[in-house]
Amino acid sequence: MSAASPHLSSRGFFVTFEGPDGSGKSTQLRKLAVHLEAQGHSVVVTRQPGGTHLGDRIRTLLLDSRTENLAPMAELGLMFSDRAQAIAEVIRPALDQGRIVLCDRFTDSTEAYQGGGRQLGSEAVLRMHQVMCGDLNPDLTILLLADFDRSLARARRRNDRVAATGPNEGRFEREDLEFHRRVCLKYREIAVREPGRVAVIEGDRPIETIHRQIVALVDEKLRTRASPC
Ligand code: ADP
Ligand code: TYD
């Protein structure tokens, strides 16, 4: 990854990818990173939970399906502890250097999963965001929404495949359908509340078609941002 992006000011550009498990976030994030780097931008790719040494340890605790009896509020606190570490160690420094940060999940995930799925409500999550993340909000959020059953099935298949050789990360995918329905509903609520930041992308299409739509969106945002007032 090269030096600072050619067209960006001292603060970089913060893009988050959101959506239910298996909606195609990681696939699209990787493809966007390749596209932006080919254009000469300096790109930092990260994910939550995880993305730092400490965060990876928190990720194991949160995602391992052998973790039992984790209280919902403790889960919420761990998600934000991970995020605070990632902001301090990775995201803020990269943005201060004028780089583009692509982050697989951020606070919208907490609002959807802990606020919606676990039914802790949006207010607790948004208040915690203010305390733990200050004024750091994404410049753009790409929300991938695919057919509910299909994306969950994709995620479960992928996790079974990975669990055979790698980490066991199926704790959330094992939640019941009602949990995942609440997650989707909350995502839709966030999109309606913040249309300027959140772009809803239809995920039930070929990977290349979705990629082209995301590229057009991001290129346009970067172009408008780089233009002088
Ligand atoms: P997420 O990061 O949202 O959980 P992934 O990008 O890991 O999703 O995709 C989950 C699985 O679905 C992967 O096996 C991936 O190859 C596949 N996949 C991703 N996008 C699509 C798509 N548009 N159509 C069909 N399969 C897809
Ligand atoms: P991940 O592998 O990133 O998701 P995916 O299956 O979409 O590739 O796993 C992260 C899991 O953690 C996912 O099920 C969503 C959940 N999560 C929360 O519940 N709250 C959060 O704040 C975050 C960041 C993730």
Side-chain angles (χ1 to χ4, degrees), residues 21-22 25 48-49 59 63 79 83 105 109-110 113-114 158 172-173:
D21 301 90
K25 297 177 299 298
Q48 295 187 354
R59 180 179 174 95
L63 302 195
M79 291 295 178
R83 186 159 302 131
R105 297 191 179 279
S109 283
T110 319
Y113 284 77
Q114 282 65 51
R158 182 208 48 208
F172 285 96
E173 281 90 350

Side-chain angles (χ1 to χ4, degrees), residues 1 6 41 57 60 103 114 124 127 130 134 144 146 150 157 172 187 192 196 217 221:
M1 304 197 186
H41 291 293
R57 293 169 69 189
T60 303
C103 189
Q114 282 65 51
R127 279 168 61 190
Q130 231 175 10
L144 280 154
R150 208 174 299 160
R157 268 200 307 279
F172 285 96
Y187 269 131
V192 169
L217 181 70
K221 287 266 180 192

